[in-house]
């Protein structure tokens, strides 16, 4: 964290703790800025606005306004729901990337194993 501060990536005086906590909630995107204003990580968006338990979650259409407001112009999908999930959950997190693109946010799919490293083929 000290290195991030030294590089100017985080400033404790301006860090918005309440916004950070809010963004971690599934209904607000389950996301966090890795590098403020530069790189945002998030859980997979859902096809519909509720999860299997009926709790609120985010769809690409719900996320797009926040992305555009914060100059997020590219989503890189690293998970592969077809390989990692089963049953109804697989369907619910297999969102259509065109939903982002229709909103003006580019989408690239570079799937690799959850928790793993991307292959050389994916990186090239």
């Amino acid at each position: 964290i000290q290195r991030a501060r030294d590089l100017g990536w985080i400033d404790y005086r301006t860090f918005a703790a309440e916004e950070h906590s809010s963004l971690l909630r599934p209904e607000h995107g389950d996301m966090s800025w890795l590098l403020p204003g530069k790189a945002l990580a998030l859980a997979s968006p859902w096809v519909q606005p509720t999860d299997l338990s009926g709790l609120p979650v985010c769809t690409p259409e719900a996320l797009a306004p926040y992305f555009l407001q914060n100059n997020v112009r590219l989503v890189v999908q690293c998970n592969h729901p077809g390989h990692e999930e089963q049953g109804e959950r697989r369907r619910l997190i297999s969102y259509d990337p065109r939903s982002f693109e229709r909103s003006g946010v580019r989408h690239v799919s570079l799937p690799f194993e959850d928790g793993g490293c991307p292959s050389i083929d994916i990186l090239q």
Side-chain angles (χ1 to χ4, degrees), residues 74-107:
L74 172 66
V75 169
V76 179
Q77 180 183 16
C78 298
N79 70 329
H80 196 302
H83 293 150
E84 298 170 15
E85 301 293 342
Q86 297 178 1
E88 183 67 358
R89 181 174 166 81
R90 176 186 294 175
R91 183 188 73 77
L92 290 174
I93 65 168
S94 296
Y95 65 89
D96 182 353
R98 292 175 294 187
S99 299
F100 280 118
E101 294 167 352
R102 283 191 294 270
S103 299
V105 178
R106 287 184 48 224
H107 185 280

Side-chain angles (χ1 to χ4, degrees), residues 20 28 33 38 49 53 72 79 94 96 100 104 114:
H20 175 76
H28 298 150
W33 285 99
K38 298 188 184 299
S53 300
V72 175
N79 70 329
S94 296
D96 182 353
F100 280 118
D114 191 21

Side-chain angles (χ1 to χ4, degrees), residues 11-123:
D11 184 341
Y12 298 115
R13 296 168 295 186
T14 60
F15 181 73
E18 288 183 24
E19 178 186 6
H20 175 76
S21 294
S22 175
L23 291 176
L24 293 173
R25 300 185 52 82
E27 66 269 25
H28 298 150
D30 194 4
M31 56 188 167
S32 179
W33 285 99
L34 301 175
L35 298 173
K38 298 188 184 299
L40 179 70
L42 68 149
S44 184
W46 291 65
V47 173
Q48 64 187 40
T50 56
D51 67 10
L52 293 169
S53 300
L55 298 172
V57 291
C58 279
T59 63
E61 294 85 0
L63 292 166
Y66 179 85
F67 288 178
L68 294 172
Q69 179 182 9
N70 289 278
N71 205 29
V72 175
R73 298 292 186 252
L74 172 66
V75 169
V76 179
Q77 180 183 16
C78 298
N79 70 329
H80 196 302
H83 293 150
E84 298 170 15
E85 301 293 342
Q86 297 178 1
E88 183 67 358
R89 181 174 166 81
R90 176 186 294 175
R91 183 188 73 77
L92 290 174
I93 65 168
S94 296
Y95 65 89
D96 182 353
R98 292 175 294 187
S99 299
F100 280 118
E101 294 167 352
R102 283 191 294 270
S103 299
V105 178
R106 287 184 48 224
H107 185 280
V108 176
S109 181
L110 301 175
F112 57 92
E113 184 179 347
D114 191 21
C117 294
S119 68
I120 297 298
D121 290 339
I122 288 175
L123 294 175

